[in-house]
Amino acid sequence: MVAAGLPDPELLGSPQQRALGTCALAVAMVHVMDVVNAERPPGSAPLSVQIGVHSGSAIAGIIGHRKYQYDLVGDAVNTAARMCGMSAPGRVCLSKATFKHVRGQFDLTERPPLNVKGKGKMVTYFLGGRTAPSASPSAAAGSPVPSAETGAAAGDAAGCSESSEGSGSSGSSSESSG
C-alpha cells in the first residue's frame, strides 16, 4: 500500500499532483518487474504485480500498545484495494476519481462497468504510459508534475492484496488512492 500526501500534504499539494505521482510510481513498478525477472534464475516463473489506484480521503496514524504499527484506514483505502482486485497482472487499474485527476497525462483505457464488492457497478480504467508532456494545469501553474516519486499524505492510495481525494493509498485525515 502506498499513500501520496502523508505525512506532509505540502510536498504534493494538490489532489492532482498526488494522483499523478502515484500513477507514475505505479507505472514504474510495473516496468521494474522486467528487470526483476531478467535477474531471476533461468526457468523460474516470472513475477508480476497488479496495482489499483483510487483517490479519496483516509485517516492514518499509529496504533498498538506493545507493537506499534502505522495504519491507514478509510473508504478510499478499501476502494484502492478493490481496484487492485479488479486489475490484472502487469496492469494498473484506476477508479473514476483518480481518472479525473490524470486524464490527458497518461494513456487510459476505459473498461466496461464492473461489479465491485461493497461498491456496486463502477467504471474503471487501465493505466498506460505517460503521454507527451503538455501544458498541464500544474505545469501551467509553474509547479513540476511529479514523475516516479510519491509521498504520503492527504491524497491518493494505491494498493493490492497481492502485490485514494489524494492519490496513493492514504492520507492523514485527507485523501487517498489505492
Side-chain angles (χ1 to χ4, degrees):
M1 184 65 74
V2 64
L6 293 174
D8 183 1
E10 299 301 316
L11 292 176
L12 295 172
S14 73
Q16 182 187 30
Q17 287 176 320
R18 292 187 290 269
L20 289 169
T22 302
C23 288
L25 174 65
V27 169
M29 290 170 65
V30 169
H31 290 301
V32 79
M33 294 311 296
D34 292 336
V35 174
V36 169
N37 285 319
E39 294 179 5
R40 292 181 46 80
S44 60
L47 301 175
S48 67
V49 294
Q50 67 184 55
I51 301 170
V53 181
H54 176 66
S55 297
S57 297
I59 297 171
I62 297 173
I63 60 171
H65 293 290
R66 291 192 180 107
K67 180 180 178 189
Y68 297 111
Q69 179 177 333
Y70 190 75
D71 200 9
L72 185 61
V73 297
D75 183 61
V77 176
N78 295 333
T79 304
R82 299 285 186 232
M83 291 300 100
C84 183
M86 297 285 113
S87 192
R91 302 299 302 263
V92 179
C93 179
L94 305 182
S95 68
K96 190 164 199 151
T98 301
F99 164 80
K100 290 177 181 179
H101 292 302
V102 302
R103 65 178 158 209
Q105 301 295 315
F106 289 91
D107 292 325
L108 300 161
T109 305
E110 184 173 339
R111 302 171 70 193
L114 301 169
N115 192 22
V116 178
K117 182 180 175 184
K119 296 287 182 183
K121 293 269 185 195
M122 289 183 73
V123 174
T124 62
Y125 304 82
F126 274 136
L127 177 67
R130 200 75 192 257
T131 60
S134 65
S136 69
S138 56
S143 60
V145 175
S147 54
E149 55 280 328
T150 188
D156 301 301
C160 193
S161 49
E162 318 283 315
S163 38
S164 331
E165 193 111 351
S167 291
S169 53
S170 151
S172 292
S173 293
S174 59
E175 307 166 86
S176 78
S177 83

